[in-house]
Amino acid sequence: MSTVFLIVYLFPKSGKFKYNFEKGKPWQSENLYAPFDFAIKKSNEEITQEKERISSNAVLYFNLDSIIYNGVDNLFDSKFPEVFKDTIPKQDYEQLYITGKEIIDELYLFGVLEEEYNFNKDKSVVVLNGRKTIHKTLFSNLVELNEVPSMVSASILEKGLEPYKTSYLSLFFDLVQPNLVFNKSLTDKALQDEINNISYSRGSVKRETLIISKGEIVEGDKFQILQSLKSEYESQLWSEANYNWILIAYTLLVSLALLMLLLFLRKYRIDVFENNTKVTFIFFNIFLIILITTLVVNYNSKYIYVVPICILPLVFKAFFDARLGLFAHVITVLLLGFIVPNSYEYMFLQIIAGIVTILTVSELYKRANLFISVGQITLIYIVAYFAFFVIHEGSIETIEWETFMWFVLCGLATLFVQPLIYAYEKLFGLVSDVSLLELSDTNTKLLKELSNKAPGTFHHSLNVANLAEACANEIGANAMLIRVGALYHDIGKMKNPVYFTENQSTGINAHDELSSKESAKIIIEHVIDGIEIAKKNNLPDRVIDFIRTHHGTSVVYYFYSKEMKLLDKKVNKHDYSYPGPKPFSKETAILMMCDSVEAASKSLKEPTSTKIDAFVENIINKQIEEEQFLNANITFKEIESIKKILKRKLANIYHLRIEYPE
């Protein structure tokens, strides 16, 4: 239940528009009438255009320094006699003075700018003296300092005073000072006020008004009205009662989805269902994916495809199997449909990608396989997204190629699954194929110790591992797991190696000095000893299961029958039986068959194909009669396939040739 509440907490707490529609496509539902009054919202393009128009028409504010004009005018009166002496004609002297006054008035009519600005010449300008508006004009009427020489020259030429041009320019170069300063803060504030006053709606729709009819194409105003209704429906304020109802509804849906997963585990993966750690691990990963996706959507939904959802089936396949991985992936994607935009498109892409992940990724411990599979997953994302875009837009002209980069990043993020699997192994005590590969190395400390203390048992384990791996490949079982299980299944024999025939190199049998019951006890205890050694060396539970079950509840028949003959009466069979449990998976069942066949094959004298066939049949049929495979999910057909493999492998071991007719 904690997972349900955590997931519901991440879900949006508003209503969800119950109709799906696409621009340019027919309306598939019945005639739609407005359920309440609502405003028609402007599209993003309309809002953007309006903002651009306001920005282009925004008024510029400049502060005027009124003292500058009087200072320049007075300075002109004092400097003019110094530049132009009384020696020049009186008429020219007076004309030059009048022209200078006119130029000053023209320059400071609206003002002289402090610096150059790249504003449009048609922009409106307000000149302020303190808080008082002095002028309202265009930016083109304001004078920039670099324009002063040209204005002075033009006035001189117009008055016919060209001989005095150089002196006049020199005079005004020292004379003119800017008196306008751009008020950026006020300009920006005025612009922002105008943008804030933008109306985000245009018109309204009254309750019970027909919005769209069935079969009508969703385009133009119809599309915008539907978008407005959807937005209004999902963003309206909810009362406490509505809010509680939404929470209850989400809780029911999430509970239903997770219940389906639990039912799947109970029916098809009972060993996982009964293991609280594994169930917690599954739910934790589902919640983690939903949490990461929610955070990305809340930040920016355009990055939604960067989240490596396909890590989920990869992790579950590594620790469990493909069917559980795909089932959990589909459940997770269905839950994400409540959070992500364009939920149908998103779910289609992710489910297809999950299927490809399950089908293509095999033998995760091989790095090349993971890289190839990630490339295939990325390609599927790109192809599916491209197809959806063309269906929606009808062309590729407006396609956002940037999205393809998100898919590539998603593929690269999927490669993070390798270190993630390692971390999960340490946190949850699980075992993956990568760890199994490490354990299958015969140079590990435990297997080296086995080869030193019990070389015959070590050789027997290698033979069993080869037989079991071949059988597992034949019926589609986990070959890596069964190989590791076979290598370690007899490590308990290290405690008393001389009591097992494969380690008796001197010809002396240690059992000759023991009673049948004592001998049977030592033989049986190698299972218990093996479990203790395995736990001491931190072997995974999946490997220890092979040690527990490789003899099931079978009887140490040699000592049992010996005791029966000796006492000539009925003997307690329980004293000569292994404690079990019986094999409970295909892999543990295969190991039991291969272990019994390989051990007993040493007693074959002058083996022939006929003898080997009968020998394998007798051993495995006896195990079936004793119901050793009753708890294992293995079929008679698979058992027959295993028999064929064992017969062929034993024939190869004994180098048997085809018997030609005489």
Side-chain angles (χ1 to χ4, degrees):
M1 286 305 294
S2 58
T3 307
V4 172
F5 292 134
L6 287 171
I7 292 173
V8 170
Y9 176 77
L10 297 175
F11 279 5
K13 306 303 186 299
S14 64
K16 199 165 181 69
F17 195 55
K18 63 181 179 180
Y19 299 104
N20 290 316
F21 59 91
E22 296 178 23
K23 190 175 183 180
K25 300 292 181 182
W27 179 256
Q28 300 294 339
S29 305
E30 297 298 325
N31 295 353
L32 177 62
Y33 295 88
F36 44 74
D37 296 346
F38 66 93
I40 303 172
K41 294 188 176 182
K42 296 176 183 176
S43 65
N44 291 333
E45 291 78 10
E46 290 175 315
I47 298 296
T48 302
Q49 288 173 5
E50 195 163 346
K51 285 181 179 179
E52 289 174 354
R53 180 181 58 77
I54 290 173
S55 296
S56 63
N57 296 330
V59 176
L60 304 174
Y61 289 86
F62 288 86
N63 291 329
L64 174 69
D65 187 347
S66 57
I67 299 174
I68 297 292
Y69 172 75
N70 293 326
V72 171
D73 192 56
N74 293 333
L75 189 61
F76 176 79
D77 289 339
S78 63
K79 289 282 187 182
F80 186 81
E82 297 176 8
V83 176
F84 299 101
K85 308 293 184 182
D86 335 357
T87 55
I88 66 172
K90 184 178 179 182
Q91 184 178 356
D92 289 352
Y93 185 90
E94 291 176 352
Q95 186 63 49
L96 285 168
Y97 181 80
I98 294 169
T99 301
K101 287 288 188 177
E102 289 175 351
I103 291 172
I104 290 171
D105 288 340
E106 184 182 357
L107 288 173
Y108 290 96
L109 176 62
F110 296 106
V112 178
L113 293 169
E114 181 183 35
E115 57 183 275
E116 293 184 24
Y117 298 98
N118 294 322
F119 297 124
N120 193 302
K121 296 294 183 183
D122 296 329
K123 294 274 281 186
S124 297
V125 169
V126 172
V127 179
L128 301 172
N129 187 0
R131 295 186 177 182
K132 185 179 178 181
T133 300
I134 304 300
H135 299 297
K136 289 184 178 180
T137 184
L138 298 177
F139 182 73
S140 58
N141 292 327
L142 305 183
V143 179
E144 294 180 354
L145 283 174
N146 61 357
E147 295 176 344
V148 172
S150 60
M151 291 179 67
V152 172
S153 298
S155 296
I156 291 293
L157 293 174
E158 185 181 345
K159 302 295 184 181
L161 301 170
E162 189 174 354
Y164 307 101
K165 178 181 175 182
T166 304
S167 299
Y168 225 62
L169 287 172
S170 176
L171 172 62
F172 274 88
F173 181 80
D174 297 328
L175 197 67
V176 176
Q177 297 179 41
N179 67 336
L180 291 179
V181 177
F182 179 54
N183 192 331
K184 187 175 186 307
S185 61
L186 184 58
T187 302
D188 290 344
K189 184 178 182 303
L191 173 61
Q192 192 59 48
D193 289 342
E194 285 198 59
I195 289 175
N196 291 341
N197 289 329
I198 290 176
S199 173
Y200 285 83
S201 62
R202 48 175 178 82
S204 61
V205 176
K206 296 294 183 183
R207 188 172 181 269
E208 298 298 332
T209 302
L210 176 64
I211 295 176
I212 193 168
S213 303
K214 184 176 182 179
E216 195 173 348
I217 301 299
V218 179
E219 58 185 357
D221 284 344
K222 297 286 184 184
F223 177 74
Q224 199 56 42
I225 292 171
L226 286 170
Q227 287 283 66
S228 301
L229 176 60
K230 180 180 179 181
S231 175
E232 186 71 23
Y233 193 88
E234 294 181 349
S235 64
Q236 61 182 297
L237 295 174
W238 294 88
S239 65
E240 186 177 348
N242 284 339
Y243 181 82
N244 291 336
W245 276 112
I246 290 172
L247 284 181
I248 292 170
Y250 272 142
T251 303
L252 288 173
L253 290 174
V254 175
S255 300
L256 190 62
L258 296 183
L259 178 62
M260 294 303 103
L261 181 56
L262 282 173
L263 291 175
F264 173 85
L265 294 177
R266 185 178 179 183
K267 186 172 180 63
Y268 299 107
R269 301 291 182 272
I270 190 66
D271 56 320
V272 177
F273 179 78
E274 292 176 347
N275 189 314
N276 290 332
T277 301
K278 291 179 179 179
V279 173
T280 302
F281 172 74
I282 292 170
F283 285 163
F284 169 78
N285 276 277
I286 291 173
F287 170 72
L288 184 63
I289 290 293
I290 294 174
L291 173 63
I292 294 171
T293 306
T294 304
L295 293 175
V296 171
V297 170
N298 291 340
Y299 175 70
N300 192 332
S301 61
K302 79 175 186 177
Y303 300 125
I304 188 66
Y305 289 112
V306 178
V307 181
I309 305 293
C310 288
I311 278 184
L312 191 69
L314 278 174
V315 168
F316 287 163
K317 186 177 180 181
F319 289 117
F320 305 110
D321 59 80
R323 284 181 66 188
L324 193 154
L326 182 58
F327 196 91
H329 175 73
V330 171
I331 292 292
T332 306
V333 172
L334 290 175
L335 292 174
L336 288 173
F338 292 107
I339 299 170
V340 299
N342 300 322
S343 55
Y344 174 77
E345 175 184 325
Y346 178 85
M347 288 191 294
F348 183 91
L349 259 66
Q350 296 296 359
I351 289 174
I352 291 296
I355 293 171
V356 172
T357 303
I358 292 297
L359 294 177
T360 58
V361 178
S362 59
E363 298 178 325
L364 195 60
Y365 54 86
K366 294 183 179 178
R367 289 170 295 180
N369 287 358
L370 181 60
F371 278 95
I372 293 169
S373 296
V374 165
Q376 292 171 332
I377 294 164
T378 305
L379 180 63
I380 290 297
Y381 272 131
I382 291 172
V383 170
Y385 175 79
F386 178 82
F388 266 111
F389 187 89
V390 172
I391 290 170
H392 290 164
E393 302 296 329
S395 69
I396 61 170
E397 294 177 2
T398 57
I399 194 167
E400 296 180 3
W401 299 104
E402 180 187 23
T403 307
F404 296 136
M405 182 57 66
W406 306 143
F407 292 133
V408 174
L409 291 175
C410 176
L412 294 175
T414 306
L415 296 174
F416 184 69
V417 70
Q418 287 283 21
L420 186 64
I421 287 173
Y422 178 79
Y424 279 153
E425 286 180 336
K426 301 304 177 187
L427 287 172
F428 291 91
L430 300 171
V431 60
S432 68
D433 284 352
V434 180
S435 293
L436 292 176
L437 180 64
E438 294 172 358
L439 289 171
S440 67
D441 184 2
T442 53
N443 289 314
T444 58
K445 180 183 175 183
L446 194 54
L447 290 180
K448 270 191 171 183
E449 187 180 353
L450 177 64
S451 66
N452 291 330
K453 289 184 177 180
T457 300
F458 177 72
H459 181 70
H460 159 73
S461 298
L462 285 176
N463 289 337
V464 173
N466 292 331
L467 290 173
E469 187 175 18
C471 295
N473 287 325
E474 181 68 20
I475 67 168
N478 190 331
M480 180 59 68
L481 175 62
I482 198 170
R483 180 172 185 82
V484 174
L487 289 173
Y488 291 89
H489 79 284
D490 269 343
I491 55 174
K493 292 181 179 180
M494 286 192 293
K495 193 168 183 181
N496 295 299
V498 294
Y499 288 95
F500 300 91
T501 55
E502 65 266 24
N503 300 311
Q504 294 170 355
S505 57
T506 60
I508 300 172
N509 192 338
H511 290 286
D512 291 342
E513 298 177 0
L514 300 176
S515 67
S516 297
K517 191 172 182 179
E518 289 173 328
S519 295
K521 184 181 179 183
I522 292 172
I523 298 296
I524 290 169
E525 281 182 348
H526 88 273
V527 173
I528 307 301
D529 294 336
I531 294 170
E532 289 177 358
I533 294 170
K535 287 183 175 179
K536 199 173 182 180
N537 286 271
N538 297 316
L539 288 185
D541 287 339
R542 291 175 76 186
V543 177
I544 295 174
D545 287 340
F546 288 92
I547 302 173
R548 286 193 182 99
T549 62
H550 73 277
H551 285 296
T553 57
S554 60
V555 176
V556 185
Y557 190 74
Y558 175 81
F559 293 108
Y560 175 68
S561 59
K562 182 180 177 183
E563 187 74 0
M564 287 272 286
K565 290 177 183 176
L566 184 65
L567 298 179
D568 196 21
K569 65 177 182 178
K570 194 171 183 180
V571 178
N572 187 356
K573 199 172 185 179
H574 179 74
D575 294 334
Y576 295 85
S577 298
Y578 285 96
K582 295 177 181 178
F584 46 77
S585 66
K586 285 183 183 180
E587 289 77 15
T588 51
I590 291 171
L591 179 64
M592 173 182 269
M593 295 183 224
C594 295
D595 180 45
S596 300
V597 168
E598 203 285 332
S601 68
K602 298 293 188 294
S603 63
L604 278 174
K605 296 177 181 178
E606 298 180 2
T608 63
S609 295
T610 306
K611 280 186 179 180
I612 288 174
D613 290 352
F615 166 77
V616 171
E617 289 286 345
N618 289 337
I619 290 177
I620 296 179
N621 287 344
K622 185 178 180 182
Q623 290 173 336
I624 294 172
E625 288 170 10
E626 292 175 354
E627 298 183 341
Q628 294 297 326
F629 308 132
L630 198 61
N631 299 328
N633 59 335
I634 192 166
T635 65
F636 283 115
K637 183 178 179 180
E638 289 169 336
I639 292 174
E640 288 301 317
S641 299
I642 291 167
K643 287 179 181 178
K644 289 179 183 177
I645 294 295
L646 291 174
K647 291 171 186 176
R648 188 170 72 240
K649 288 289 181 182
L650 287 178
N652 291 337
I653 290 170
Y654 289 105
H655 306 291
L656 297 180
R657 297 173 181 265
I658 298 172
E659 295 180 5
Y660 293 98
E662 294 182 0

